[in-house]
Amino acid sequence: MPHRFALIIDPVAADDARDDFADTFTEVDAAAPALSVGELSTQRGDGVFESIGVIDGHAQEVVPHLERLANSARICDLPVPHQEQWRQAVAVAAAQCPPGEAVIKLILSRGVEHGPTPTAWVTAAPAPDFSAVRARGVSVATLDRGYDLAAAERAPWLLLGAKTLSYAVNMAALREARRRGADDAIFLSSDGFVLEAPTASLILRIGDRFTTPEPTGGILHGTTQLSVYDHLASRGLDAGYDRIPASDLARADAAWLVSSVRLAVAVTAVDGAALPVDHALTAELNEYLLSPRH
Amino acid sequence: MPHRFALIIDPVAADDARDDFADTFTEVDAAAPALSVGELSTQRGDGVFESIGVIDGHAQEVVPHLERLANSARICDLPVPHQEQWRQAVAVAAAQCPPGEAVIKLILSRGVEHGPTPTAWVTAAPAPDFSAVRARGVSVATLDRGYDLAAAERAPWLLLGAKTLSYAVNMAALREARRRGADDAIFLSSDGFVLEAPTASLILRIGDRFTTPEPTGGILHGTTQLSVYDHLASRGLDAGYDRIPASDLARADAAWLVSSVRLAVAVTAVDGAALPVDHALTAELNEYLLSPRH
């Protein structure tokens, strides 16, 4: 396989009358020019995306990712992606992935400025080697996200439930965390509740209960968090959704950041204060997350 | 001239030892593929931009725009653009503009994922015909921006003073305003102060005083607002910066949205309530803004 694989999708060609979408895909050289300077994704961060983990050519949780892409598109008033067309595009990309871990990205952009249609593409590439960070964990800095917990419902134009391409703040938060000597960040609402990491969901264990912030407060509902909750349920463990005050971070008995490609990493410290690490459960979660899932 | 003109800039080639940067520019077809799918501008909205008005081939307020681009880059931890290189790129683009009004866009992206250097380009295109809206004005809807006035200073990773490519919320706010039957939007802080429009600055007149929101509260300092203030000062008028409560919008004696390409448009109504319109001053401001400026 080439180091990276890229497929441009024609979303306009999608309709329910067909069941083979192969002729709506155009493979392009991922390193060569493929997008015009008029692309609104690039001018305005105006589009939505997903990142899907791939294990030995098997794309994980494809349906939940496609459903979230569709939900993001609806929030952004973009044409809702045709699920079967995108499922086939993911399958084509997965077939190009090497053994081991890889990542497939789906991007749906509003298209070229003044243009009539959205632009869409899928890429595949080997994943970075996350084995060391999965074993070691990450320290985090807490950072104010600026919004109160009610902002998402009060002001849907803030697009807080959508995974948009406008991720400059998420990237800036990661740089700020590193300036503070931490590996990653956890966003807090301006009224003092725990939200999510810039590119991951947060799961805490407090006593016997696993908890994660309610996905109503303007955070993304994590596909990997949902998978982890399935696994915890199968083990008979108590896992729920709560409004979590920031002060709960310091009293957690364990915490993880979970995401589609890096999978589960233990939080080893919050703002410089050590947190207990459950190495056994972290390893178990990653073994589960590395197994083929739907 | 072609309908659109595009120039890729090599920011790495810029240094103070040279004074001609022509060989760091590559003209590309603006309608053809020029950017790779790995571009972080497109994947993450991770970059900064400026839009410059051009009148009969004269680019307006180039230095203030380049200074703001540099300030945005600093806030985003991007390499600060070389002012003389970009000034020359703007000159090349301006020379390609047709008579009448045009727009030059400057984009500085973090570059290709895992790549060593930023990507940068400049485009030029004829401006839309804004003469009707300048004469008629716009109705606006007020929309909560979700942040309180102190968020910018408290949380610089929110990038509130930078003109980043992550503009999905600005675009969503314009769609929401249109859903409400308005032409444009004015953002309010979550604690009830006036901020700016999604792509323009706001100037109010209350009695004999012109006022605009202080640029400390997480808004962009508008280059066109600064030009308008120069003009008002030359007329001996009182113009200042204030913390403006949202309730002041309804009692304004006149209001304008000002921006680099659409220039000055009167606000005719706020949330459905009519506002007085000063047609004579609007025309005077646009006559001034259409004259060559530096």
Side-chain angles (χ1 to χ4, degrees):
Chain A
M1 110 176 236
H3 179 58
R4 287 169 171 271
F5 173 81
L7 207 60
I8 306 282
I9 297 179
D10 178 3
V12 177
D15 64 71
D16 292 331
R18 58 199 293 165
D19 33 53
D20 183 344
F21 292 88
D23 67 350
T24 70
F25 306 146
T26 307
E27 187 178 339
V28 296
D29 179 347
L35 307 170
S36 84
V37 292
E39 249 300 315
L40 289 169
S41 54
T42 200
Q43 286 190 23
R44 303 288 197 189
D46 199 358
V48 297
F49 78 105
E50 286 291 326
S51 296
I52 298 179
V54 182
I55 318 287
D56 292 332
H58 177 86
Q60 302 281 52
E61 304 157 334
V62 173
V63 170
H65 279 291
L66 291 179
E67 287 175 350
R68 192 168 66 179
L69 187 74
N71 189 49
S72 295
R74 271 187 289 268
I75 294 172
C76 293
D77 302 309
L78 285 163
V80 175
H82 191 284
Q83 299 288 294
E84 178 57 20
Q85 182 188 34
W86 284 78
R87 198 196 59 72
Q88 290 183 22
V90 170
V92 171
Q96 298 290 327
C97 288
E101 297 181 46
V103 54
I104 290 178
K105 291 187 185 175
L106 318 181
I107 296 196
L108 173 61
S109 150
R110 201 170 302 276
V112 174
E113 197 174 14
H114 311 301
T117 64
T119 319
W121 63 97
V122 169
T123 64
D129 181 358
F130 287 124
S131 52
V133 72
R134 286 175 197 150
R136 187 181 66 234
V138 289
S139 61
V140 303
T142 58
L143 294 176
D144 184 350
R145 185 63 187 84
Y147 299 122
D148 60 278
L149 218 52
E153 194 174 331
R154 187 176 73 232
W157 49 88
L158 300 177
L159 309 177
L160 288 173
K163 196 169 173 77
T164 78
L165 300 175
S166 285
Y167 250 44
V169 168
N170 303 55
M171 299 296 104
L174 291 175
R175 292 193 300 274
E176 174 66 17
R178 282 160 200 155
R179 261 193 292 270
R180 296 182 181 200
D183 301 312
D184 210 322
I186 291 177
F187 282 130
L188 305 179
S189 69
S190 60
D191 46 351
F193 295 92
V194 175
L195 294 173
E196 61 191 343
T199 65
S201 308
L202 173 70
I203 298 173
L204 304 180
R205 182 172 66 76
I206 298 177
D208 288 336
R209 179 176 168 81
F210 292 84
T211 182
T212 193
E214 294 171 332
T216 50
I219 64 173
L220 287 181
H221 203 168
T223 53
T224 311
Q225 174 260 308
L226 284 165
S227 278
V228 167
Y229 268 36
D230 283 347
H231 178 70
L232 295 174
S234 76
R235 290 271 315 274
L237 295 164
D238 175 25
Y241 295 85
D242 293 290
R243 179 170 296 202
I244 303 174
S247 55
D248 275 8
L249 282 173
R251 70 182 192 92
D253 294 300
W256 295 267
L257 299 185
V258 302
S259 51
S260 298
V261 183
R262 195 175 62 176
L263 305 181
V265 297
V267 177
T268 58
V270 176
D271 295 332
L275 217 60
V277 173
D278 186 337
H279 288 292
L281 184 53
T282 306
E284 178 185 319
L285 291 177
N286 281 319
E287 190 182 357
Y288 165 71
L289 292 169
L290 286 164
S291 66
R293 286 166 298 116
H294 293 287
Chain B
M1 113 179 230
H3 179 58
R4 287 170 170 273
F5 173 80
L7 207 59
I8 305 282
I9 297 179
D10 178 3
V12 176
D15 64 71
D16 291 332
R18 58 200 293 166
D19 33 54
D20 184 344
F21 292 88
D23 66 351
T24 70
F25 306 147
T26 307
E27 187 179 339
V28 297
D29 179 347
L35 307 170
S36 85
V37 292
E39 249 300 316
L40 290 169
S41 55
T42 202
Q43 286 190 22
R44 302 288 197 190
D46 199 357
V48 297
F49 78 104
E50 285 292 326
S51 297
I52 299 179
V54 182
I55 318 287
D56 291 332
H58 177 86
Q60 302 281 52
E61 304 157 335
V62 173
V63 170
H65 280 290
L66 291 179
E67 287 175 350
R68 191 167 66 179
L69 187 74
N71 188 50
S72 295
R74 271 187 290 270
I75 293 173
C76 293
D77 302 308
L78 285 163
V80 175
H82 191 283
Q83 299 288 293
E84 178 58 20
Q85 183 188 33
W86 285 78
R87 197 197 59 73
Q88 289 184 22
V90 170
V92 171
Q96 298 291 327
C97 289
E101 297 181 45
V103 55
I104 290 177
K105 291 188 186 175
L106 318 180
I107 296 196
L108 173 61
S109 150
R110 201 170 301 277
V112 173
E113 197 174 15
H114 312 301
T117 64
T119 318
W121 62 97
V122 170
T123 63
D129 181 357
F130 287 123
S131 52
V133 72
R134 286 175 196 150
R136 186 181 67 233
V138 290
S139 60
V140 303
T142 58
L143 294 176
D144 185 348
R145 185 62 187 83
Y147 298 122
D148 60 278
L149 219 52
E153 196 175 329
R154 187 175 74 232
W157 49 89
L158 299 177
L159 308 177
L160 289 173
K163 196 168 172 77
T164 78
L165 300 175
S166 286
Y167 250 44
V169 168
N170 303 56
M171 299 296 105
L174 290 176
R175 292 193 300 274
E176 174 66 18
R178 283 162 199 153
R179 261 193 291 269
R180 295 182 182 200
D183 301 311
D184 210 321
I186 291 177
F187 281 130
L188 306 179
S189 68
S190 60
D191 46 350
F193 295 92
V194 175
L195 295 172
E196 61 191 343
T199 65
S201 308
L202 173 70
I203 298 173
L204 305 179
R205 181 173 66 76
I206 298 177
D208 288 337
R209 179 177 167 83
F210 292 83
T211 182
T212 193
E214 294 170 333
T216 50
I219 64 173
L220 288 180
H221 202 166
T223 53
T224 310
Q225 175 260 309
L226 284 165
S227 278
V228 167
Y229 268 36
D230 283 347
H231 178 70
L232 296 174
S234 75
R235 290 270 315 273
L237 296 164
D238 175 25
Y241 296 86
D242 293 290
R243 180 170 295 204
I244 303 174
S247 55
D248 274 9
L249 281 173
R251 69 182 193 94
D253 294 299
W256 295 267
L257 299 185
V258 301
S259 51
S260 298
V261 183
R262 195 174 62 175
L263 304 180
V265 297
V267 176
T268 58
V270 176
D271 295 331
L275 217 59
V277 174
D278 186 337
H279 288 293
L281 184 53
T282 306
E284 178 186 318
L285 291 177
N286 281 318
E287 190 181 357
Y288 165 72
L289 292 169
L290 286 164
S291 66
R293 285 166 297 115
H294 293 285

